[in-house]
Amino acid sequence: MIKKHYEYSVWLRITHWLRVLSITALTFTGFYLAFPFIAPALNGGEPTNFLNALMRSWHIIFGFLLICVTIGKMYLFFFDKESKNERASFWDFISPKMWIKQIKYYILIGEHTKLKGLYNPLQFIAYSTVYISLIFISLTGLILYIHVYHEGLGGFLYDILRPIEVLMGGLALVRELHHIFMWIFLIFLPIHIYLVVFNSIYGKKGDMDSIISGYKWEDDHK
């Protein structure tokens, strides 16, 4: 019998969509800061609307939002009772049998198997890579931040982050790493959307709906 199962908590869904918003805004503003592609309006022959400063401000705002959401999501993963199904995905990840079944499913020669947790092994390793990238892009972003803003939070973090900057090879390399980690998200995004659509249509489990409603459809007899 097909039954509706509650899988994604309210906070998990909220943090998901806040990440989507933040990464979208950061990608747009980040590309502009690296390669300005919009000419500011001229007033009396001079650009006086400070478009670069505006883009930088929005980049910082959404950057700190992404940091807060990432910290919140990591807390939910490790400590939230409603996130226990996420933690249970680790056992599917370390199971060779589950890897084989999931690969057969994706190449259309097997059926979707019932998981112990929320994510199949491929999803688990993909999401783990994304969160590692989130940590590094946040860290490199903060290092770039302290070299522009020397008071307040920037001043507080300066002595803490400078040794990490040195370990990463200096400010120029930190900037390049920041861009590289952005491309990880840009590569991940279309693959993620494709697989969600694939699972929703081929697996008929309501994967696309679940990140909004929180519910998936499962066959209890499988």
Side-chain angles (χ1 to χ4, degrees):
M1 179 182 292
I2 304 296
K3 289 187 177 180
K4 184 170 66 172
H5 290 266
Y6 185 68
E7 296 210 6
Y8 296 124
S9 68
V10 172
W11 283 111
L12 187 149
R13 284 174 276 150
I14 289 174
T15 55
H16 174 272
W17 289 112
L18 285 176
R19 280 197 306 276
V20 172
L21 174 64
S22 299
I23 291 172
T24 301
L26 286 166
T27 300
F28 180 84
T29 55
F31 265 120
Y32 179 84
L33 293 174
F35 308 102
F37 52 83
I38 302 174
L42 299 179
N43 183 11
E46 294 292 333
T48 57
N49 61 356
F50 305 106
L51 184 57
N52 189 278
L54 180 63
M55 290 290 187
R56 183 180 296 276
S57 296
W58 282 113
H59 196 76
I60 291 170
I61 290 169
F62 281 103
F64 277 109
L65 175 61
L66 183 63
I67 291 172
C68 292
V69 170
T70 301
I71 294 172
K73 180 61 181 67
M74 293 177 71
Y75 171 84
L76 292 175
F77 179 84
F78 288 107
F79 302 108
D80 180 38
K81 290 182 179 179
E82 289 188 316
S83 298
K84 62 181 180 180
N85 287 337
E86 278 196 286
R87 295 190 290 272
S89 302
F90 176 76
W91 303 111
D92 291 325
F93 170 69
I94 63 175
S95 168
K97 184 178 179 180
M98 290 300 300
W99 274 91
I100 293 170
K101 287 184 176 181
Q102 195 61 40
I103 292 172
K104 289 172 67 176
Y105 170 72
Y106 279 133
I107 61 177
L108 308 179
I109 61 173
E111 294 184 352
H112 196 290
T113 186
K114 190 170 180 63
L115 303 171
K116 291 184 176 68
L118 289 183
Y119 310 126
N120 66 56
L122 293 172
Q123 287 176 317
F124 190 86
I125 195 170
Y127 294 154
S128 298
T129 301
V130 165
Y131 278 102
I132 291 171
S133 300
L134 280 171
I135 292 171
F136 276 99
I137 202 168
S138 298
L139 187 59
T140 54
L142 286 173
I143 291 173
L144 296 173
Y145 172 82
I146 64 172
H147 283 281
V148 178
Y149 299 91
H150 304 121
E151 303 293 334
L153 181 61
F156 173 76
L157 292 175
Y158 187 85
D159 290 334
I160 298 172
L161 295 178
R162 277 286 289 151
I164 300 175
E165 175 192 331
V166 174
L167 288 174
M168 288 185 173
L171 190 60
L173 188 55
V174 167
R175 190 180 302 276
E176 290 302 316
L177 290 172
H178 195 68
H179 293 171
I180 289 170
F181 284 114
M182 178 201 68
W183 280 103
I184 291 176
F185 295 114
L186 294 183
I187 293 170
F188 168 79
L189 183 60
I191 298 172
H192 175 60
I193 294 173
Y194 168 77
L195 290 177
V196 169
V197 174
F198 175 87
N199 282 326
S200 293
I201 295 174
Y202 184 66
K204 299 179 180 179
K205 295 173 60 179
D207 290 66
M208 291 184 67
D209 302 339
S210 63
I211 200 59
I212 298 174
S213 68
Y215 290 93
K216 277 187 178 182
W217 298 91
E218 297 279 359
D219 188 345
D220 285 348
H221 294 296
K222 286 188 176 182

